[in-house]
Amino acid sequence: MTGNTHILGGIASSLAFVQITNYDPIILVGASVFGALLPDICHTGSKIGRTFPIISKIVNTLFGHRSITHSLLFLILIILLMTRYISNDSIIAGILIGMVSHYILDMFTKKGIMLLFPLNIMVRFPITTRTGSKTENVVAFLLSLLCLYLGFETIKHSI
């Protein structure tokens, strides 16, 4: 999936989560956008890879694309780091929600992800699509509609 689709997935997921929690919606959504992009730090051409090119190049050289940064191991490492250094639960939850949404969306691609890294097993859903395809554009459109709906619901509950 492309960066824009991942951003929409992170926003939609975090807005859905806001409906059932008391986390700060603005912080949660902002953190989820970062979390939705973070796994692609292993891809030098990604939005986050272009933002942090040195880190991206190192991670890509060591592990390649869609391996460690798309795994449960990476998710656990991020949880450990965040719980040690970040005290705001909305930030922690948002980043994790964004990362999980990224994993789920990439499991709909033909290549899948190495969710169980270091095991060399690609995990994907039975129904897949290609990154940047018309199908992905439909998914992005539907996520946009979901974001609008959940955004209005969030605002309505805040008033």
Side-chain angles (χ1 to χ4, degrees):
M1 298 287 169
T2 62
N4 290 335
T5 304
H6 284 304
I7 289 170
L8 290 167
I11 293 170
S13 299
S14 61
L15 286 172
F17 191 69
V18 162
Q19 307 303 311
I20 59 169
T21 65
N22 291 322
Y23 289 111
D24 182 313
I26 303 222
I27 293 173
L28 189 77
V29 169
S32 75
V33 168
F34 176 77
L37 295 174
L38 181 59
D40 275 344
I41 192 69
C42 62
H43 184 340
T44 56
S46 68
K47 287 181 184 293
I48 196 162
R50 290 188 313 268
T51 304
F52 302 101
I54 295 170
I55 295 170
S56 181
K57 182 68 174 168
I58 291 168
V59 174
N60 184 275
T61 300
L62 291 174
F63 302 104
H65 183 48
R66 290 192 183 170
S67 61
I68 192 169
T69 62
H70 287 68
S71 71
L72 295 175
L73 175 62
F74 187 66
L75 191 67
I76 291 167
L77 291 172
I78 293 296
I79 290 169
L80 292 173
L81 284 171
M82 288 193 304
T83 54
R84 180 165 176 96
Y85 296 107
I86 299 174
S87 60
N88 187 312
D89 289 341
S90 294
I91 293 173
I92 294 170
I95 290 172
L96 295 177
I97 290 165
M99 288 178 67
V100 170
S101 75
H102 184 112
Y103 291 1
I104 291 168
L105 286 170
D106 273 359
M107 286 175 15
F108 279 108
T109 62
K110 300 247 181 238
K111 184 177 178 190
I113 63 173
M114 289 180 67
L115 188 64
L116 304 173
F117 181 89
L119 299 178
N120 192 18
I121 300 169
M122 299 308 287
V123 178
R124 65 177 181 259
F125 292 116
I127 298 172
T128 62
T129 188
R130 284 187 167 72
T131 299
S133 68
K134 289 180 183 179
T135 303
E136 181 181 347
N137 292 337
V138 170
V139 169
F141 175 73
L142 294 173
L143 286 170
S144 297
L145 293 178
L146 185 59
C147 288
L148 285 171
Y149 171 75
L150 292 170
F152 283 124
E153 286 297 310
T154 302
I155 291 168
K156 187 169 71 174
H157 290 289
S158 298
I159 296 177

